């Protein structure tokens, strides 16, 4: 079996046995193909020294520590698979060190900025003179649902149309690894979805689509990049610097604002769909600010 064939076998396993998403599989392929090119040989037969030299060269090529760590993770998964399948007698990544990396704080939006963004989206959706009311209604539904639920952008754009057919305060979403979780839906988000659904069903090309946000793409639903572009445009029209806003930033706003208003970190972990609490702990700075304020305002000896 060639090196390329073993990469294909690994990706097939990740898809069939672990339910890896298409984006995840594509990322693994890019990283493994890059490693194969960097080692200039059969990746599956690479020595620890060859892998270490490849990883050491990533920084010189301009890759950030987070990207280096992702590539090492892909290699670890690949060689773990080869060892488990008996295609290799050892795991050469066992002695490789992970790159040192700090954990950056997420970009955040204030509650006031988020309110301005949602208000602007609602105004444009309700404006009968809008040149493209179809897009305005869709964008309003997208931002309301994203801020109400904290969904990953891939989960959001791939929502089934059945979510809008029920007037429930919660719905189930399938996230990473095929795991399901329950997420809340505000009254404003439900109303925005209902308005969008009415416009969507009037479009013959999309009326029968199983997706809430259909498109003529290969996936059948709105592309993440299209939503990100439209969101930046909305931010600019709301007087918010578009450079600081992305779908992921709005997801961070959902989590940060919950914590600022008293939510428990474990509850936020479940809502975000984080498998490990350590991922959610990036928001502990919000908790720390809240605790300092609590002591300052309520402790009898506070100045």
């Amino acid at each position: 079996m060639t090196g390329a064939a073993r990469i294909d076998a690994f990706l097939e396993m990740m898809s069939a046995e672990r339910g890896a998403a298409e984006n995840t599989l594509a990322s693994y392929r890019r990283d493994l193909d890059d490693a194969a090119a960097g080692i200039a040989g059969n990746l599956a037969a690479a020595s620890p020294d060859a892998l270490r030299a490849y990883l050491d060269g990533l920084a010189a090529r301009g890759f950030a520590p987070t990207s280096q760590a992702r590539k090492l993770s892909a290699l670890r998964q690949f060689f773990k698979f080869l060892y488990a399948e008996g295609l290799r007698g050892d795991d050469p990544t066992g002695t490789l060190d992970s790159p040192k990396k700090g954990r950056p704080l997420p970009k955040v939006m204030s509650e006031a900025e988020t309110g301005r963004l949602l208000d602007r989206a609602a105004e444009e959706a309700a404006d009968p003179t809008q040149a493209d009311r179809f897009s305005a209604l869709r964008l309003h539904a997208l931002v309301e649902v994203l801020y109400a639920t904290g969904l990953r952008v891939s989960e959001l754009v791939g929502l089934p149309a059945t979510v809008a057919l029920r007037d429930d305060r919660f719905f189930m979403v399938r996230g990473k690894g095929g795991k399901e979780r329950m997420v809340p839906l505000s009254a404003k988000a439900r109303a925005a979805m209902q308005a969008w659904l009415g416009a969507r069903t009037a479009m013959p090309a999309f009326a029968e689509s199983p997706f809430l946000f259909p498109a003529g793409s290969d996936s059948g639903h709105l592309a993440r990049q299209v939503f990100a572009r439209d969101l930046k445009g909305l931010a600019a029209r709301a007087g918010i610097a578009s450079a600081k806003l992305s779908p992921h930033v709005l997801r961070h706003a959902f989590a940060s604002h919950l914590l600022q208003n008293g939510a428990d970190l474990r509850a936020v972990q479940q809502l975000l769909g984080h498998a490990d609490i350590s991922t959610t702990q990036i928001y502990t700075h919000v908790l720390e600010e809240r605790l300092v304020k609590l002591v300052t305002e309520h402790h009898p000896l506070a100045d």
Side-chain angles (χ1 to χ4, degrees), residues 22-37:
E22 288 184 15
N23 292 334
T24 302
L25 295 173
S27 177
Y28 273 125
R29 181 176 289 281
R30 284 193 299 271
D31 288 338
L32 293 174
D33 285 347
D34 184 70

Side-chain angles (χ1 to χ4, degrees), residues 44-215:
S47 67
D49 287 342
L51 291 171
R52 189 174 291 107
Y54 162 72
L55 292 167
D56 289 345
L58 292 175
R61 291 167 58 193
F63 284 98
T66 50
S67 297
Q68 296 174 45
R70 190 198 68 236
K71 288 179 179 294
L72 175 56
S73 176
L75 289 168
R76 288 194 199 281
Q77 293 285 341
F78 176 60
F79 285 105
K80 183 179 179 181
F81 162 75
L82 295 182
Y83 180 76
E85 293 294 313
L87 298 173
R88 178 163 176 148
D90 67 324
D91 180 354
T93 64
T95 59
L96 301 180
D97 295 326
S98 298
K100 297 284 190 297
K101 64 179 191 300
R103 191 141 199 192
L105 293 176
K107 292 181 181 178
V108 293
M109 291 178 67
S110 68
E111 292 185 41
E113 287 176 317
T114 308
R116 288 213 316 271
L117 186 79
L118 296 175
D119 288 345
R120 179 70 191 200
E123 290 169 9
E124 293 182 359
D127 184 357
T129 65
Q130 271 283 343
D132 190 353
R133 217 157 158 257
F134 180 85
S135 295
L137 286 165
R138 182 180 68 187
L139 184 55
H140 182 217
L142 283 162
V143 295
E144 285 285 4
V145 173
L146 179 52
Y147 184 58
T149 62
L151 293 177
R152 298 179 179 90
V153 64
S154 57
E155 297 167 345
L156 175 68
V157 297
L159 281 175
T162 52
V163 169
L165 297 176
R166 301 187 300 268
D167 190 29
D168 297 332
R169 290 185 301 158
F170 295 88
F171 67 92
M172 301 301 294
V173 61
R174 189 178 297 276
K176 282 187 174 181
K179 294 181 180 178
E180 287 193 331
R181 69 184 189 277
M182 187 168 64
V183 293
L185 203 57
S186 66
K188 284 186 176 182
R190 295 201 303 274
M193 282 203 305
Q194 290 295 326
W196 159 243
L197 193 63
R200 173 189 171 282
T201 53
M203 299 287 289
F206 296 146
E208 301 302 319
S209 171
F211 296 107
L212 180 58
F213 302 106

